[in-house]
Amino acid sequence: LHWGGPERSPDSKTLSAYEGTPLPVVEKMLEFAQVRPNEVVYDLGSGDGRVLIMAAQKFGARGVGIEIDSHYVGESEAKVWDLGLADRIQLVHGDVLDQDLSLADVITIYMTPYALWKLRPHLEKFLHQGMRIVTVVDQVPGWKPAATVTAQGDNQRSYRLSLYVVTQPGQWTSFSKFGRTQ
């Protein structure tokens, strides 16, 4: 679901309604962020866990999903357990605005413009050199992406992906389209 401008989600407890990202788009998003084995992928508003599951299974990453809706947390936990990924994926039932994001190598976000506007100051507290952030459809207000690409969903819809890469510690406005720097 997509509401357009930076207005509030209908449910005041959530920043954005859930819309599952099509699997081909999830794969493109993780490739675009250049996810590597053992990196930590945070999925903000992780829904049913599909981003984290693909990050672990296909890219060898570890994952942390943050989801405010207990129904989706339970659904994700069941999938993660059934797939034997409990040692690679951690699920947090809570508000993304209350979470420490400092351990993330990659952050994935599919939220409304309002949610991205609200989330931006929280993200800026945790940015560090080499961190990559990928947004689906909408861009982080005030940030210039290093690169954008279009991904085709299995639902015949196109999704714009925006990649942000922090190139210098403490300078969240400086981005590069090249992967992690050491």
Side-chain angles (χ1 to χ4, degrees):
L1 302 172
H2 184 73
W3 288 286
E7 60 267 358
R8 181 174 295 280
S9 158
D11 178 355
S12 63
K13 288 174 62 178
T14 63
L15 286 176
S16 189
Y18 176 71
E19 178 181 332
T21 309
L23 290 176
V25 177
V26 170
E27 185 172 5
K28 183 73 170 182
M29 183 171 46
L30 297 169
E31 288 171 354
F32 193 39
Q34 300 177 12
V35 173
R36 290 182 283 288
N38 293 314
E39 285 193 310
V40 179
V41 175
Y42 275 58
D43 187 23
L44 307 187
S46 57
D48 65 4
R50 65 182 69 192
V51 171
L52 302 169
I53 290 167
M54 185 175 288
Q57 288 182 324
K58 186 161 185 166
F59 296 84
R62 293 175 290 135
V64 177
I66 303 168
E67 176 58 56
I68 201 164
D69 187 319
S70 59
H71 168 78
Y72 289 119
V73 173
E75 184 179 331
S76 298
E77 286 174 342
K79 285 181 185 178
V80 165
W81 185 260
D82 288 347
L83 293 168
L85 297 171
D87 63 329
R88 303 210 48 87
I89 296 173
Q90 174 189 357
L91 297 161
V92 177
H93 178 217
D95 187 330
V96 298
L97 296 174
D98 296 332
Q99 305 303 315
D100 181 338
L101 308 175
S102 62
L103 297 178
D105 295 300
V106 174
I107 296 176
T108 61
I109 309 168
Y110 186 5
M111 293 186 184
T112 65
Y114 169 78
L116 291 169
W117 171 79
K118 189 88 170 159
L119 186 58
R120 178 184 154 180
H122 187 66
L123 287 169
E124 290 172 357
K125 290 188 234 174
F126 299 104
L127 296 175
H128 57 80
Q129 185 172 357
M131 179 184 274
R132 284 103 62 210
I133 299 170
V134 179
T135 61
V136 180
V137 179
D138 294 300
Q139 296 182 352
V140 179
W143 287 8
K144 182 179 179 205
T148 59
V149 69
T150 300
Q152 194 68 34
D154 50 10
N155 56 3
Q156 305 304 323
R157 181 175 159 201
S158 293
Y159 295 77
R160 180 183 62 195
L161 306 179
S162 298
L163 174 67
Y164 307 89
V165 181
V166 181
T167 58
Q168 294 181 19
Q171 291 190 353
W172 62 267
T173 56
S174 178
F175 297 98
S176 166
K177 65 181 172 182
F178 303 103
R180 183 180 194 134
T181 55
Q182 296 294 327

